[in-house]
Amino acid sequence: QVQLVESGGGLVQPGGSLRLSCTTSGIVFEAYEMGWYRQAPGNQREMVATIDRFGYEKYVDAVTGRFIISRDNIKNTVFLQMNSLKPEDTAVYYCNARYYTDSWGQGTLVTVSS
């Protein structure tokens, strides 16, 4: 049974930082492309960052230079370091594991507000 469990969300002021974690079980983690997606109220879910099994990273333009995705293949965990946060980063952030099919976590809320 595939399980993805996100943590690390919360309330942060503009310009602040948060680090999201997604711990997985039930998959051969090192073979999967891992990603972070987000969905703001009234918006569609969008890709934020992905990292493939070779460590190649991709980012949506809106977060390039501010967010960093990384993975620990020993701990079966993917991270998203978010810096210089802006109010428009407010959303529910979802962890994704992709290997022919997609598996999703339950999401963690990030609120950027003063």
Side-chain angles (χ1 to χ4, degrees):
Q1 181 179 359
V2 179
Q3 284 194 316
L4 308 177
V5 180
E6 301 103 332
S7 61
L11 174 64
V12 63
Q13 293 187 340
S17 298
L18 282 175
R19 188 190 196 209
L20 305 183
S21 300
C22 172
T23 301
T24 72
S25 60
I27 63 172
V28 182
F29 182 81
E30 58 265 28
Y32 278 64
E33 177 183 279
M34 300 300 300
W36 288 95
Y37 290 69
R38 66 186 179 187
Q39 187 167 17
N43 290 356
Q44 290 188 331
R45 190 174 298 189
E46 66 170 353
M47 186 275 287
V48 176
T50 62
I51 183 167
D52 70 10
R53 60 193 183 102
F54 302 109
Y56 180 74
E57 303 163 29
K58 289 196 297 187
Y59 299 91
V60 66
D61 287 347
V63 308
T64 298
R66 298 189 297 123
F67 291 10
I68 300 172
I69 189 171
S70 61
R71 62 191 296 161
D72 185 331
N73 288 346
I74 302 299
K75 296 182 178 179
N76 296 342
T77 301
V78 62
F79 304 96
L80 186 68
Q81 178 66 43
M82 305 187 295
N83 302 318
S84 302
L85 282 159
K86 304 176 181 180
E88 51 264 44
D89 295 318
T90 295
V92 177
Y93 284 70
Y94 296 92
C95 178
N96 171 264
R98 177 169 297 162
Y99 189 81
Y100 295 108
T101 62
D102 286 322
S103 297
W104 297 93
Q106 81 288 351
T108 185
L109 177 62
V110 172
T111 303
V112 184
S113 175
S114 55

